[in-house]
Amino acid sequence: MQHDTDVLIVGGGSNGTGLLRDLAKRGVKVMLCEKGDFARGATGASSGMIHGGPRYMLNDVETTKHSCEDSGYIQRIMPHLLFRIPFLMPLLARPGLGKISPTLHDVYFTVYDRYAAMKNGIPHARLTTAELLAIEPGLAGEFDGGVTLDEWGIDCGRLCLLNTLDAIAHGAQVETYTEVVGLLRDDHGTVQGARLRRVGEVTVREVRAKVVVNCAGPWAAKVAGLAGPGVRLRPGKGVHLIYEKRLTNFAMITNAVDGRQVFIMPYQNETWIGTTDDDYYGDLDDLSVSQDEIRYLQEAVIRLLPRMADQRLINTRVGVRNTVYGWGQLEDELSRRYEIVDHKSLGAPGLFSLLGGKLASFRIQAQEAADAVCKTLGVTARCETHLHTVPGGDAIPEETELARAYGIERLAARRVIYRHGSLAPRVLDVGRETPTGFSVVCASEPTLECEVRYAVRHELVTHLGDLMTRCRIAVGACQGLDCGLRAAQIFAEERGLDPTSEREELMDLLSRRWRTARPALKGSQLAQAELLMTQYTGLWQLPALVPHA
Amino acid sequence: MFDVVIVGGGLSGTIAALAARKQGAKVALAARSWGATALSTGALDIAYTPALSRAHQLPRTLAEHVLDIIAHRRRHPYAVLGLERTVSGLLDGFDLLREALGPYDLAPPPLNLEAANLSLASSLGGVLPAASALAPHVGLEFGVPVAGKIGVLSIDGLMAFDAQRIATAISADTKNFDVPTPEFELLRVALGFVAPPLQLARTLDDQVRADELHAQLRGRTQGLKALLTPPVLGFARAHHVRTRLQESLGIPVVESLAHLPSVPGARLQTALTASQAQAGVTQLGEVIGSKASAGKLCSLTLAGGQEIQAGAFVLASGRFIAGGVGWQAQHCREALFDLPVASEEGPLEADGPDAVTRVSPMESHPLMTAGVVVNPVLQPLAEGRVAYPNLFAAGMVIGGFASRYSLCADGVALATGLLAGRAAVNKAGETP
Amino acid sequence: MSSYLSMRQLNALWVLGWALVRHIITYPFVGRRVPGPWLKRIAAESLGAVPKDAWGMFACTSGCLTCGLCDVVGTATDRPSQWLAGIARHPGDSSLALAQLQRLEILAPEIERLCPARLKVSTVVALVRANHGMLAVR
């Protein structure tokens, strides 16, 4: 039978794109389809950390060991994309226990240090209360000292993109804005491919594949359901709050009113507070953040850092974890374990589902899934994703030199290097094409005009909104006030769009931004929103012309 | 001791102050920052409801749009004022504005409520309806067939104004409405530097730089009926820069409406602030509190601690941008007197912004129409009762409207500013 | 299944238990792992503690709406909106503004008079100047 591809992957998150890269590097003919843009599901709403899972060490040392080891690999293959996040963990004073808690924590992290070394961790330190407050005087409360540790953060959208670009360089095919609407099956129930439909179109086309791998994250149950029942998830909704600016260089851990751990952490040039974890039974495509959730997180952090009350909340982040189903456990206790389900046992051979897991172990999850798929296909090539860098990962240019060479601000150079690594000069070369090539499009980053142009040309951009994950357009406090407009013009220029389409793309970008920003419209953000509406009134007045004749 | 003190120095506050001065009152105006007026596009919006236009083939007059608003939006300031007061407020307010802006060569042409909205070029691309506009933006409108070729100028180094896209967008809009598409010719000049709009405009204030612009355009505008330019032709010397260009090219030079950062907005606010001083209005700084006694407002406290007494007060402190209305912990309130606010749908009682905004940003959000509630003589109400008999409100601090859907912000500012100013003078003149 | 789980837990307890014992025995000789080296490492990566004044600075610049109106003050070559954007982003990014700090200080009163977000520019300038040493560390 003629196959269009060997493997069809459904879902463009960390699992799907990780698997795409793994299989492509093994020489397998592979295609990925994603119903939106990359990282629109759990990946795009995650905490953005490639951590070693110190929490799991209490019950399961092996998981932590493997996580740290794999974290090390991820650092090796995309060094420019990871940024260290130092943690302060203040220990709340507990009457009676005195010194026991700090000692236990000290021991715990001494053990963790061993594994963290595999991911370039700095050995922890134990702090007295005086030292703790010297480092962060803004802390409020009674403490019995604290401990320090460090983890790594990553840009989730760029992670998926870089996996994908590498895969394409190895011959993979990718289609975003393409949804799976059905599976192709023969009389025996064997899955032989899928029916795909591009978003906004009506025609359905068939793609014949030897194996289909379901990496649809929170939607995995739905996709698996196309081949019959059997896959069950326990979706867990998670919310983060996004504050403007990097308010602190340290992440801090504290407890919320119900005892759950809540953290505040710097993330690129924002500050995040997170996260919640609640069973979610609603519409996966229509998530919203409630005032209760906002208050829950804010109260927890303000109790630890009262000054947070004066800071500017700009947005929220919400998604659903594709947690593997487990009954009778608190959401938090469910391990972030993953499962590779071969649907042969469920009457649908040819279909695999990669369920659960976490961002930090995307590579190893993909490796195991690829191993399983290759076994079915009879491919013997081994995994190499931990051995070779992704595009741009082979060298990190020096920022002052780069800034000088192109005449740009040092900070702008830093951000281009962060996102593109060794390819930064190529991105900046684009800036020489126009007089405004090095002008700042988005002040929050800053993002330069040439980076936007480069993204539109080379980074699989279909819609303007995709630029949010490529180069953080409209992600900052400004909500797309100036950058949205300018990015829309660049996009339209590069793609030859007519003005109506350009306006539609811009409205789509602003809608996307609005959805998560709505619950956070207090204080400065309300003024910002009014300004935004003023700016774009013209767009909303379509059709606008008043004919007289 | 003053007769009237105005809080807020934008369009409505300035008109209120000028109206009070016209009646011979001793007037002070306390402004703490720029606000929405400084961020406006150059257009003057009185009334335009898209639904009304779409429902009929013929264009509707401004008066008909005002009537439509009064009929369908009962919390809109025009509806609260009633037709007669709205019309007299608009006409007199507009006259005052023309008078104030005259010396700065920004004055719009006289207002005719029997005329229809204009269709002006926007630098966003395409066309925007507007009742009128400041002088630099008047002279080229696309709701009528345009005879001859229109030049569209872009300046290298000025981001976000692309002549090609603007021409294409206007053509698309005219096509949609069966108006013959104008002929465009695209012109480009290179001034040798990259600058944001405000800085570019100020650079052109310099004679030498403006001459460079002339030099690059000379001889290239033969056969053109008019030249449409980005709204950056000068700031402090805007009139001079533009009219000199007009004279030397021999054709009208018209600026498009602006998007942010807005040079026309900054020009307007600068001119309004100057006109206050010109009219003998005492200019003060930020107000941080107030004192009342026997149910009447006696004085306002400035940031420096001084108390300013007056017989009557006008609150023209703006909405969210300028901070006249804000959402702090749990409630959305007016900031200075803690007055309750309402939207165009009614009292704003909500736990969070998501309850009073819609899912799609394109829809009308109650939150965006929030502001104080006033009675027909523009006295703010609290729990249905007049807050203070000698306090009046004007402009965007009044709720019940959002310019987005009825393009009326300037009309409301002018009408309520004028009427509140006069009412304050009358109130101050009453024997206590 | 349950015995599988408890094998992992037992292993964890074993590892942690041993570490506790080791800790108790060696602590009198080795002492506490003090924060000095840790702080030094992260400071070398430009992740040091943000000075406590910075919180005050954040509150001052936090409301910036990026409206661009502050470009009205000063001369046509001044770029206050961009300098403030740099400081507002992250105090450590004040390097651009540091070069222009004097100019910004002169323009501060005028900017404060018109800024819709009421940024306290003078305070920001004072804070940047006071923390210049720590902030400019790279």
Side-chain angles (χ1 to χ4, degrees):
Chain A
M1 154 145 73
Q2 181 70 339
H3 285 105
D4 302 303
T5 186
D6 289 342
V7 180
L8 173 66
I9 299 173
V10 181
S14 56
N15 281 344
T17 59
L19 180 61
L20 183 76
R21 178 172 182 249
D22 197 324
L23 289 173
K25 283 172 82 71
R26 297 193 206 200
V28 175
K29 196 164 167 222
V30 56
M31 177 178 158
L32 182 147
C33 66
E34 154 61 55
K35 72 176 177 136
D37 186 36
F38 303 111
R40 283 259 169 101
T43 303
S46 69
S47 296
M49 274 195 274
I50 302 289
H51 59 77
R55 241 191 317 163
Y56 314 130
M57 209 170 69
L58 197 54
N59 285 310
D60 188 349
V61 171
E62 288 302 301
T63 301
T64 301
K65 181 165 163 213
H66 289 313
S67 291
C68 288
E69 184 183 42
D70 218 62
S71 226
Y73 288 143
I74 296 173
Q75 271 181 45
R76 236 196 280 165
I77 65 177
M78 42 182 85
H80 58 298
L81 207 59
L82 274 83
F83 49 93
R84 194 190 296 275
I85 305 177
F87 270 76
L88 275 187
M89 198 171 175
L91 298 170
L92 276 178
R94 270 172 238 252
L97 281 183
K99 283 278 174 267
I100 297 185
S101 174
T103 303
L104 290 177
H105 278 87
D106 199 356
V107 169
Y108 194 85
F109 286 104
T110 306
V111 176
Y112 186 63
D113 281 344
R114 261 186 257 159
Y115 309 120
M118 290 190 278
K119 59 179 175 74
N120 252 308
I122 305 170
H124 84 285
R126 185 169 122 192
L127 310 168
T128 61
T129 304
E131 284 165 342
L132 178 70
L133 294 174
I135 295 175
E136 182 43 80
L139 291 173
E142 299 290 312
F143 304 109
D144 273 334
V147 284
T148 66
L149 62 140
D150 66 284
E151 294 291 355
W152 294 88
I154 194 169
D155 183 309
C156 320
R158 297 280 317 164
L159 165 63
C160 294
L161 177 76
L162 294 180
N163 278 338
T164 309
L165 289 176
D166 202 22
I168 290 175
H170 285 87
Q173 272 182 282
V174 174
E175 287 191 27
T176 52
Y177 296 95
T178 303
E179 187 170 3
V180 167
V181 295
L183 293 173
L184 298 175
R185 308 179 65 182
D186 70 7
D187 303 321
H188 307 290
T190 307
V191 173
Q192 298 184 314
R195 272 190 221 97
L196 305 181
R197 186 183 58 206
R198 261 195 91 72
V199 170
E201 288 175 21
V202 188
T203 26
V204 172
R205 64 182 230 274
E206 293 183 350
V207 168
R208 304 203 158 268
K210 293 179 188 165
V211 172
V212 174
V213 186
N214 169 19
C215 297
W219 294 269
K222 180 175 166 209
V223 171
L226 295 171
V231 159
R232 206 158 162 199
L233 293 177
R234 190 172 162 185
K237 180 182 175 196
V239 171
H240 294 83
L241 302 182
I242 303 179
Y243 279 72
E244 187 206 21
K245 279 200 277 285
R246 174 178 265 259
L247 297 168
T248 164
N249 272 329
F250 305 128
M252 282 170 260
I253 302 176
T254 182
N255 287 2
V257 63
D258 56 357
R260 283 185 68 250
Q261 264 192 353
V262 168
F263 57 82
I264 169 176
M265 83 177 209
Y267 179 84
Q268 300 195 56
N269 55 3
E270 296 165 341
T271 302
W272 289 6
I273 299 180
T275 178
T276 58
D277 193 350
D278 296 300
D279 285 320
Y280 183 75
Y281 302 108
D283 185 351
L284 291 170
D285 294 302
D286 187 21
L287 295 165
S288 60
V289 175
S290 71
Q291 292 300 311
D292 282 337
E293 286 166 320
I294 294 178
R295 264 194 290 272
Y296 171 82
L297 291 171
Q298 282 182 326
E299 275 166 18
V301 169
I302 288 170
R303 209 153 150 258
L304 180 73
L305 277 172
R307 278 198 177 146
M308 280 303 293
D310 301 324
Q311 303 308 327
R312 182 174 167 182
L313 177 66
I314 60 172
N315 205 351
T316 62
R317 196 169 156 84
V318 59
V320 171
R321 298 174 189 77
N322 45 322
T323 316
V324 172
Y325 185 78
W327 177 262
Q329 293 162 285
L330 281 176
E331 295 95 344
D332 265 346
E333 280 169 18
L334 272 177
S335 75
R336 300 285 185 251
R337 72 181 201 279
Y338 55 96
E339 266 180 40
I340 296 163
V341 176
D342 182 346
H343 288 250
K344 195 152 107 179
S345 56
L346 298 167
L351 175 66
F352 287 81
S353 288
L354 172 50
L355 307 173
K358 50 184 170 48
L359 182 74
S361 49
F362 83 89
R363 198 209 63 81
I364 193 126
Q365 288 165 208
Q367 175 173 338
E368 283 191 29
D371 286 341
V373 168
C374 284
K375 193 150 169 238
T376 307
L377 292 174
V379 171
T380 52
R382 310 256 312 260
C383 173
E384 294 198 327
T385 56
H386 55 305
L387 300 175
H388 306 129
T389 56
V390 298
D394 50 300
I396 302 182
E398 206 281 307
E399 73 183 30
T400 350
E401 266 173 51
L402 199 71
R404 204 192 344 234
Y406 289 91
I408 59 177
E409 218 186 291
R410 193 166 148 192
L411 183 64
R414 183 178 310 163
R415 298 307 288 154
V416 177
I417 293 169
Y418 173 70
R419 285 189 279 272
H420 299 273
S422 62
L423 297 173
R426 246 202 268 171
V427 175
L428 293 171
D429 283 338
V430 174
R432 295 190 168 134
E433 293 175 17
T434 55
T436 52
F438 296 119
S439 49
V440 173
V441 169
C442 184
S444 304
E445 272 293 292
T447 306
L448 304 179
E449 184 189 303
C450 54
E451 200 183 344
V452 176
R453 227 176 263 283
Y454 180 88
V456 174
R457 289 179 192 174
H458 305 292
E459 294 192 331
L460 311 175
V461 168
T462 307
H463 288 295
L464 184 64
D466 301 348
L467 289 174
M468 287 172 76
T469 45
R470 302 299 185 275
C471 49
R472 294 172 64 83
I473 291 294
V475 163
C478 69
Q479 288 192 63
L481 184 65
D482 298 318
C483 57
L485 185 62
R486 189 68 195 122
Q489 288 180 337
I490 297 168
F491 183 62
E493 246 175 66
E494 291 287 322
R495 294 286 167 94
L497 287 187
D498 63 275
T500 313
S501 305
E502 183 186 340
R503 284 182 211 174
E504 276 168 18
E505 289 285 345
L506 184 49
M507 287 201 279
D508 178 61
L509 171 69
L510 297 170
S511 299
R512 218 162 254 298
R513 195 66 176 74
W514 176 253
R515 257 187 36 227
T516 47
R518 261 175 81 210
L521 287 181
K522 290 187 179 177
S524 299
Q525 275 320 93
L526 190 50
Q528 190 77 71
E530 190 187 4
L531 198 59
L532 192 79
M533 305 245 164
T534 310
Q535 166 86 310
Y536 291 117
T537 292
L539 291 181
W540 275 285
Q541 294 294 347
L542 300 177
L545 193 113
V546 183
H548 291 208
Chain B
M1 172 93 188
F2 293 93
D3 296 317
V4 177
V5 174
I6 321 278
V7 180
L11 184 58
S12 60
T14 306
I15 295 295
L18 297 177
R21 281 297 294 146
K22 272 278 184 216
Q23 303 202 300
K26 197 158 173 238
V27 181
L29 186 149
R32 72 172 170 185
S33 70
W34 285 8
T37 301
L39 298 161
S40 55
T41 63
L44 291 166
D45 297 324
I46 307 281
Y48 172 79
T49 48
L52 184 68
S53 273
R54 278 196 287 266
H56 302 86
Q57 293 296 84
L58 296 170
R60 309 316 271 182
T61 64
L62 288 172
E64 284 168 318
H65 281 289
V66 170
L67 276 165
D68 186 67
I69 289 173
I70 293 176
H72 294 111
R73 293 173 188 256
R74 61 182 193 86
R75 287 196 170 81
H76 193 288
Y78 290 169
V80 173
L81 287 173
L83 181 65
E84 209 184 299
R85 259 188 293 254
T86 301
V87 169
S88 81
L90 283 173
L91 292 173
D92 292 348
F94 206 87
D95 278 341
L96 262 184
L97 180 67
R98 294 192 69 232
E99 205 185 307
L101 296 181
Y104 310 97
D105 301 301
L106 287 173
L111 180 67
N112 175 9
L113 289 175
E114 297 307 319
N117 276 284
L118 305 170
S119 299
L120 301 178
S122 156
S123 53
L124 266 186
V127 149
L128 277 181
S132 182
L134 302 177
H137 314 280
V138 174
L140 196 55
E141 82 114 355
F142 296 95
V144 291
V146 175
K149 242 198 263 188
I150 311 288
V152 184
L153 175 70
S154 60
I155 302 176
D156 270 3
L158 178 68
M159 285 203 295
F161 186 93
D162 184 331
Q164 170 71 66
R165 307 205 59 73
I166 287 174
T168 318
I170 297 175
S171 304
D173 280 348
T174 47
K175 204 169 297 188
N176 282 335
F177 285 88
D178 295 324
V179 172
T181 308
E183 245 193 290
F184 289 108
E185 185 173 308
L186 307 180
L187 298 157
R188 257 174 92 152
V189 298
L191 293 178
F193 58 89
V194 177
L198 272 169
Q199 303 306 50
L200 179 53
R202 298 175 63 204
T203 309
L204 290 174
D205 278 341
D206 182 292
Q207 190 64 54
V208 173
R209 298 297 205 157
D211 284 346
E212 269 171 41
L213 183 60
H214 287 213
Q216 289 204 35
L217 283 172
R218 201 168 302 141
R220 289 167 68 187
T221 56
Q222 317 286 19
L224 293 180
K225 256 298 146 92
L227 182 66
L228 178 66
T229 75
V232 292
L233 298 179
F235 180 64
R237 299 177 68 235
H239 175 69
H240 181 86
V241 175
R242 191 173 61 90
T243 48
R244 238 203 100 208
L245 195 59
Q246 271 184 168
E247 280 158 26
S248 95
L249 300 178
I251 51 170
V253 172
V254 179
E255 288 185 343
S256 70
L257 298 178
H259 58 75
L260 296 169
S262 169
V263 177
R267 286 177 191 151
L268 174 61
Q269 182 61 66
T270 307
L272 289 174
T273 306
S275 73
Q276 293 162 19
Q278 188 74 16
V281 174
T282 304
Q283 291 171 315
L284 305 169
E286 181 175 4
V287 173
I288 55 170
S290 61
K291 286 214 171 90
S293 105
K296 273 180 65 162
L297 266 182
C298 319
S299 68
L300 297 175
T301 315
L302 298 183
Q306 316 135 270
E307 276 183 30
I308 309 294
Q309 293 180 322
F313 302 83
V314 177
L315 183 66
S317 48
R319 201 170 287 171
F320 305 123
I321 294 173
V325 182
W327 195 313
Q328 297 309 323
Q330 301 287 81
H331 302 288
C332 192
R333 305 283 286 185
E334 178 273 325
L336 183 57
F337 300 102
D338 197 36
L339 298 166
V341 303
S343 72
E344 64 182 359
E345 295 185 351
L348 205 78
E349 274 149 21
D351 189 32
D354 37 333
V356 282
T357 50
R358 307 257 181 261
V359 171
S360 159
M362 319 310 175
E363 298 171 57
S364 177
H365 310 287
L367 180 59
M368 293 303 162
T369 65
V372 302
V373 182
V374 294
N375 62 16
V377 293
L378 296 176
Q379 290 167 313
L381 306 174
E383 279 95 46
R385 281 197 302 277
V386 170
Y388 302 100
N390 59 341
L391 176 66
F392 301 87
M396 290 199 76
V397 71
I398 302 176
F401 74 102
S403 196
R404 286 179 60 200
Y405 295 96
S406 44
L407 286 185
C408 59
D410 302 297
V412 171
L414 292 170
T416 58
L418 180 100
L419 294 171
R422 283 189 188 153
V425 174
N426 291 344
K427 184 59 78 173
E430 278 174 12
T431 38
Chain C
M1 169 90 154
S2 68
S3 70
Y4 175 68
L5 269 177
S6 82
M7 280 298 290
R8 287 184 166 230
Q9 279 172 323
L10 271 176
N11 181 43
L13 279 171
W14 176 252
V15 170
L16 293 170
W18 249 127
L20 178 60
V21 167
R22 242 198 324 271
H23 178 89
I24 293 172
I25 294 175
T26 60
Y27 189 79
F29 308 99
V30 169
R32 169 173 70 98
R33 187 124 25 115
V34 292
W38 190 86
L39 287 171
K40 219 161 140 205
R41 272 290 292 271
I42 58 169
E45 294 180 20
S46 309
L47 291 171
V50 172
K52 62 180 168 78
D53 283 345
W55 284 90
M57 195 147 81
F58 297 140
C60 288
T61 55
S62 149
C64 176
L65 301 174
T66 63
C67 70
L69 281 177
C70 44
D71 286 339
V72 159
V73 311
T75 68
T77 46
D78 287 318
R79 295 271 188 278
S81 65
Q82 291 178 31
W83 306 336
L84 287 168
I87 301 177
R89 251 192 309 267
H90 176 38
D93 304 340
S94 321
S95 48
L96 180 69
L98 272 172
Q100 311 290 345
L101 207 58
Q102 220 168 347
R103 195 78 196 116
L104 196 54
E105 190 171 31
I106 295 170
L107 301 176
E110 271 185 78
I111 297 175
E112 287 177 26
R113 256 200 295 277
L114 56 80
C115 173
R118 293 178 297 286
L119 249 53
K120 299 186 189 57
V121 183
S122 333
T123 315
V124 171
V125 168
L127 286 170
V128 171
R129 190 165 270 140
N131 293 286
H132 156 130
M134 247 195 286
L135 291 173
V137 157
R138 275 297 168 243

